[in-house]
């Protein structure tokens, strides 16, 4: 749950670079919309020049922001120990026509924060204050992480590689105002009480914001200061990242606006304050991200400062976990992968309230690329297009493995089906978000290969069909591409790993989110019909009995049951979806979410009152009993998905 300003003028830009600690040779030119391109001196022996990059990316960026309705974007490229290229495109503020300037505009990088959190943790590992293989509970004082059944304790290594087995969390992860933000201690005490680990640590990669929030808490415990204070002293200042901050206010100077694009045009996205800062709360100007890339590409050094030893940097970059030896894996704070030309790269992406960013590092070329946009609903994969354009200038590396086995369509049929991301919580309030998960892929066997259709993370934004050829038993490689997927069985159920940031489960028809949501909506519609039928029946009986002194009784219990569900379901849905990330009020948790329990009691009473008539085969009694039975089933359905004030999971 956690799917990017400018200023014009050579003198102003140069002044901004100098005051922020940058002293490259600058040659500024004006681009589309008044954006500024900063061209640094090319490092000695470099295979790229700033002019080459400009020729490759300017058209891509300008066309991308126009065709994809992207308000603004920024691109920063480093090579060696220099900033090679920096440019802003479009606007940080559409209404006021404020350009997005990589030297001035303060943007949020979302989950790219995790890479810096991992770097900070590795500093403390080098100092002996944290240990990669020790039980993290030894460093936690205000709460403890429970064990999963009889499994081993969770370690820092498993947090850094997203293999901790912790449950996902969408509940109460952000606040609407700075005053409403809760401390990491308060968040984790609430979290561990309701959401213990869901699997053994170290066995499965599942991207998890909570895990890196917990790394941030470990840093605070070990360093004896806030995560913000630690990063300022040990990362931001040494790297001269003067604009970097974890606690930036909404009205801070230079803060841009993020947008959704709809039929009505650009719609502003509300600002959010993260309660688990280590997972995604970093804000900075795009140009200030350059020193971080330079340090990681130069064995931990930037200018005369060293943030980590070369061996620690190598440890962060090298493979620390992979689901299968033929698949790309994860280091500490970095995904590992390959460019289209076969060169290895390490990277990370980030998204928060409409800001979407990506960092790609190519260690063999000491090349760093950072790109950020300020909308999340574009159908143009601008990040990937820009990275492909730049890295297309690089030499060709060793190409990936070619398919080496032949398989018939019949042998591939077990892999067929619908595979769905499971990014919602398995416990706690976020469990029922499962009904609204839409990301997934259809797998079909054909002619000894697999056709996998879905919305690819680096695709066009729509459903795409790609062919995958067998590379090894259960492993397939994209035809003409580098992506690999692995099909494997877990407890008798097929899973697919390799697309996106988590393992996907084969989903039967009745388990599909669309079907689950249809059941929810169908039951709601059923009770609307029952309520309307009751009212019509009541009016008819009232009219018929208007000339008499007595009126035939109508079951008030049915009215109560139907009314409860008709009130509860839409309010629960609308309020729950909009308030999940902010946390629920006590009146919602204990009041509204208890209404179905009243319907449950009324249904039981209705069954008891109609027991004798049911035994006699009375049709009215049978009808009322069936209504009571539906109410019981409906309440059980809500209980299963943790929609009530009491939780089953």
């Amino acid at each position: 749950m956690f799917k990017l300003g400018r200023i014009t003028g050579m003198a102003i830009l140069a002044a901004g670079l100098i005051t922020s600690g940058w002293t490259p040779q600058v040659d500024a030119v004006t681009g589309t919309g008044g954006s500024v391109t900063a061209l640094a001196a090319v490092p000695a022996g470099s295979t790229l020049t700033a002019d080459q990059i400009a020729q490759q990316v300017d058209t891509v960026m300008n066309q991308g922001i126009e065709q994809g309705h992207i308000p603004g974007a920024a691109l920063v490229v480093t090579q060696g120990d220099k900033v090679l290229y920096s440019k802003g495109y479009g606007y940080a503020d559409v209404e006021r026509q404020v350009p997005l300037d990589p030297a001035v505009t303060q943007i949020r990088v979302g989950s790219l924060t995790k890479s810096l959190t991992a770097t900070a943790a590795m500093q403390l590992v080098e100092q002996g204050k944290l240990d990669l293989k020790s039980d993290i509970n030894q460093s936690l004082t205000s709460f403890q992480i429970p064990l999963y059944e009889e499994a081993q304790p969770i370690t820092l290594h498993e947090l850094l590689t997203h293999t901790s087995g912790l449950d996902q969390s969408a509940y109460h992860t952000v606040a609407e105002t700075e005053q409403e933000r809760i401390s990491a201690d308060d968040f984790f005490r609430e979290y561990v009480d309701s959401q213990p680990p869901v699997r053994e640590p170290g066995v499965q990669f599942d991207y998890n914001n909570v895990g890196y929030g917990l790394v941030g808490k470990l840093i605070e415990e070990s360093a004896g200061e806030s995560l913000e204070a630690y990063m300022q002293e040990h990362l931001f200042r040494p790297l001269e990242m003067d604009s970097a901050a974890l606690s930036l206010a909404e009205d801070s100077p230079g803060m841009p606006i993020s947008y959704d694009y709809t039929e009505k045009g650009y719609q502003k996205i509300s600002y959010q304050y993260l309660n688990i800062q280590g997972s995604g709360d970093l804000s900075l100007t795009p140009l200030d991200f350059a020193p971080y890339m330079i340090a990681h590409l130069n064995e931990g050094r930037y200018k005369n400062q060293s943030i980590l030893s070369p061996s620690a940097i190598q440890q962060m970059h090298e493979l620390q976990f992979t689901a299968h030896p033929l698949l790309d894996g994860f280091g500490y704070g970095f995904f590992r992968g390959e460019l289209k030309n076969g060169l290895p790269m390490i990277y990370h992406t980030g998204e928060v309230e409409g800001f979407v960013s990506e960092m790609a590092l190519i260690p063999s070329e000491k090349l760093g690329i950072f790109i950020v946009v300020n909308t999340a609903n574009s159908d143009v994969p601008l990040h990937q297009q820009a990275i492909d354009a730049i890295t297309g200038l690089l030499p060709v590396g060793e190409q990936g493995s070619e398919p080496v086995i032949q398989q018939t369509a019949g042998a591939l049929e077990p892999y067929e089906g619908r595979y769905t991301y499971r990014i919602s919580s398995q416990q706690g309030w976020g469990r029922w978000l499962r009904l609204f998960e839409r990301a997934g892929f259809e797998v079909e066997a054909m002619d000894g290969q697999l056709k996998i259709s879905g919305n690819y993370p680096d695709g066009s934004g729509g459903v795409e069909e790609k062919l995958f050829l067998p590379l090894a038993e259960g492993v397939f490689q994209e035809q003409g591409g580098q992506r690999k997927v692995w099909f494997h069985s877990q407890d008798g159920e097929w899973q697919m790993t390799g697309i996106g940031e988590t393992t996907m489960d084969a989903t039967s028809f009745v388990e599909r989110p669309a079907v689950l949501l249809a059941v929810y909506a169908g039951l709601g519609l059923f009770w609307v019909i029952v309520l309307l039928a009751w009212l019509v029946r009541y009016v008819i009986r009232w009219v018929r009995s208007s000339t008499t002194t007595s009126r035939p009784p109508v079951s008030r219990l049915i009215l109560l049951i139907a009314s409860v569900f008709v009130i509860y379901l839409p309010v629960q849905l609308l309020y729950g979806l909009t308030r999940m990330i902010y946390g629920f009020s006590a009146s919602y948790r204990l009041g509204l979410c208890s209404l179905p329990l009243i319907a449950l009691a009324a249904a039981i009473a209705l069954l008891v009152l109609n027991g004798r008539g049911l035994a006699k085969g009375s049709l009215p009694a049978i009808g009322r009993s069936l209504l009571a039975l539906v109410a019981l089933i409906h309440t059980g359905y809500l209980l299963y998905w943790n929609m009530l004030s009491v939780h089953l999971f």
Side-chain angles (χ1 to χ4, degrees):
M1 164 149 176
F2 303 59
K3 299 240 232 102
L4 295 157
R6 293 168 315 206
I7 53 174
T8 57
M10 169 77 174
I12 298 177
L13 176 61
L17 293 174
I18 292 171
T19 55
S20 64
W22 291 91
T23 56
Q25 177 182 342
V26 177
D27 181 15
V29 297
T30 301
T32 302
S35 60
V36 175
T37 304
L39 303 180
V42 181
S46 172
T47 59
L48 297 182
T49 67
D51 287 336
Q52 285 177 312
I53 294 176
Q55 292 173 6
Q56 287 291 103
V57 301
D58 269 358
T59 300
V60 170
M61 296 295 291
N62 287 321
Q63 288 181 351
I65 64 174
E66 180 179 356
Q67 295 172 1
H69 303 292
I70 299 171
L75 173 67
V76 177
V77 182
T78 68
Q79 191 167 44
D81 59 357
K82 299 291 193 300
V83 176
L84 187 61
Y85 189 84
S86 175
K87 186 170 182 178
Y89 303 82
Y91 298 102
D93 187 325
V94 173
E95 291 182 350
R96 296 188 297 153
Q97 299 284 283
V98 177
L100 201 158
D101 189 330
V104 175
T105 306
Q106 193 88 8
I107 54 91
R108 309 189 76 179
V109 301
S111 287
L112 275 183
T113 307
K114 293 179 174 68
S115 183
L116 285 90
T117 301
T119 301
M122 290 301 291
Q123 289 179 331
L124 293 170
V125 169
E126 283 201 311
Q127 298 169 27
K129 295 181 179 179
L130 284 175
D131 186 89
L132 287 166
K133 300 296 184 176
S134 295
D135 180 359
I136 60 172
N137 281 328
Q138 297 175 3
S139 300
L140 297 173
T141 58
S142 57
F143 60 88
Q144 294 283 282
I145 304 297
L147 299 181
Y148 174 75
E149 298 179 352
E150 300 300 322
Q152 295 296 313
I154 297 171
T155 66
L156 177 60
H157 165 83
E158 288 151 354
L159 292 178
L160 292 175
T161 55
H162 293 286
T163 59
S164 63
L166 291 171
D167 197 6
Q168 301 284 353
S169 181
Y171 181 71
H172 210 178
T173 54
V174 302
E176 290 183 285
T177 67
E178 179 67 33
Q179 293 72 30
E180 294 174 342
R181 175 183 274 175
I182 62 175
S183 68
D185 280 347
D186 289 340
F187 172 84
F188 280 109
R189 277 194 290 264
E190 182 179 50
Y191 170 81
V192 298
D193 284 345
S194 59
Q195 295 181 246
V198 295
R199 70 177 59 86
E200 181 181 353
V203 300
Q204 180 173 309
F205 176 91
D206 272 314
Y207 189 86
N208 193 308
N209 288 312
V210 173
Y212 265 78
L214 192 51
V215 175
K217 178 58 183 172
L218 289 171
I219 292 170
E220 292 183 336
E221 294 272 13
S222 302
E225 57 186 330
S226 71
L227 183 61
E228 168 85 37
Y230 181 87
M231 284 194 170
Q232 287 288 351
E233 182 65 26
H234 299 280
L235 281 179
F236 302 155
R237 289 196 184 105
L239 294 177
E240 301 178 8
M241 300 167 67
D242 297 337
S243 64
L246 291 183
S247 300
L248 206 63
E250 180 179 6
D251 56 357
S252 299
M255 179 62 72
I257 299 170
S258 55
Y259 299 88
D260 277 330
Y261 185 80
T262 68
E263 296 176 351
K264 299 179 180 179
Y266 293 109
Q267 307 297 316
K268 295 180 181 179
I269 298 177
S270 300
Y271 193 89
Q272 299 171 351
Y273 295 84
L274 273 64
N275 291 327
I276 43 178
Q277 292 185 294
S279 68
D281 210 21
L282 176 65
S283 299
L284 80 174
T285 62
L287 195 56
D288 270 358
F289 198 79
Y292 181 73
M293 296 193 294
I294 289 172
H296 266 280
L297 290 166
N298 290 272
E299 298 185 321
R301 296 194 64 81
Y302 171 71
K303 294 185 176 179
N304 295 321
Q305 296 287 334
S306 178
I307 59 169
L308 274 177
S309 68
S311 61
I313 290 290
Q314 181 180 356
Q315 197 172 9
M316 291 187 69
H317 295 181
E318 65 188 11
L319 183 66
Q320 296 296 340
F321 181 86
T322 183
H324 188 282
L326 293 177
L327 266 62
D328 298 324
F330 201 78
Y332 291 150
F334 291 93
F335 291 95
R336 292 165 52 85
E338 280 187 359
L339 299 171
K340 288 185 176 180
N341 61 10
L343 288 176
M345 73 168 177
I346 55 175
Y347 66 98
H348 209 294
T349 60
E351 181 179 337
V352 59
E353 61 180 46
F355 295 98
V356 184
S357 56
E358 183 165 356
M359 163 187 61
L361 306 182
I362 299 87
S364 64
E365 307 300 314
K366 291 192 173 182
L367 181 70
I369 303 170
F370 174 71
I371 179 172
V372 60
V373 303
N374 59 349
T375 185
N377 68 337
S378 173
D379 58 1
V380 172
L382 186 59
H383 300 75
Q384 191 63 45
Q385 290 178 355
I387 292 171
D388 287 346
I390 296 170
T391 57
L393 296 167
L394 299 176
V396 176
E398 182 180 348
Q399 296 299 307
S401 304
E402 293 295 331
V404 295
I405 64 173
Q406 298 294 324
Q407 290 188 322
T408 64
L412 302 182
E413 286 179 359
Y415 306 138
E416 290 187 320
R418 175 76 178 180
Y419 291 78
T420 307
Y421 286 116
R422 302 239 179 197
I423 57 177
S424 56
S425 308
Q426 295 186 35
Q427 305 159 111
W429 285 108
R431 178 174 168 82
W432 59 268
L433 292 180
R434 174 68 176 150
L435 279 63
F436 298 90
E437 291 177 349
R438 288 293 173 267
F441 291 83
E442 291 286 348
V443 177
E444 180 183 352
M446 50 185 298
D447 300 326
Q449 56 192 354
L450 294 178
K451 182 176 73 173
I452 303 180
S453 308
N455 191 325
Y456 286 84
D458 56 354
S460 63
V463 174
E464 298 178 83
E465 296 180 353
K466 295 182 183 291
L467 295 178
F468 286 77
L469 306 178
L471 180 64
E473 185 66 33
V475 181
F476 298 80
Q477 180 172 317
E478 180 185 351
Q479 188 176 49
Q482 286 72 43
R483 180 182 284 110
K484 302 180 185 72
V485 296
W486 175 43
F487 292 86
H488 49 105
S489 179
Q490 177 72 25
D491 298 328
E493 301 293 334
W494 283 104
Q495 296 181 318
M496 180 172 69
T497 301
I499 301 178
E501 298 172 340
T502 187
T503 296
M504 286 181 278
D505 298 324
T507 310
S508 67
F509 179 79
V510 296
E511 294 176 311
R512 296 184 181 186
V515 175
L516 298 174
L517 184 58
V519 172
Y520 182 93
L523 287 169
L525 180 61
F526 172 81
W527 291 116
V528 170
I529 294 172
V530 169
L531 180 60
L532 291 175
W534 190 97
L535 292 173
V536 169
R537 185 175 179 226
Y538 179 84
V539 170
I540 292 173
R541 288 196 174 191
W542 184 83
V543 171
R544 287 179 176 176
S545 61
S546 60
T547 57
T548 64
T549 57
S550 63
R551 296 174 182 172
V554 177
S555 174
R556 274 35 174 196
L557 288 175
I558 294 177
L559 172 64
L560 176 61
I561 294 170
S563 298
V564 163
F565 283 121
V566 168
I567 294 171
Y568 165 80
L569 292 176
V571 176
Q572 187 274 340
L573 187 66
L574 295 175
Y575 180 88
L577 283 176
T578 57
R579 301 301 304 177
M580 176 70 71
I581 59 175
Y582 303 113
F584 298 144
S585 65
S587 60
Y588 173 84
R589 289 183 285 110
L590 303 177
L592 182 77
C593 291
S594 295
L595 286 181
L597 300 179
I598 297 175
L600 175 66
I604 294 173
L606 189 61
L607 282 174
V608 172
L609 292 175
N610 286 275
R612 183 175 299 177
L614 186 63
K616 293 180 179 179
S618 168
L619 290 179
I622 292 174
R624 288 190 289 267
S625 298
L626 287 175
L627 285 176
L629 183 60
V630 173
L632 293 176
I633 294 173
H634 194 175
T635 306
Y637 186 80
L638 299 175
L639 178 64
Y640 179 80
W641 291 109
N642 285 0
M643 293 183 178
L644 305 182
S645 53
V646 292
H647 286 174
L648 188 63
F649 299 97

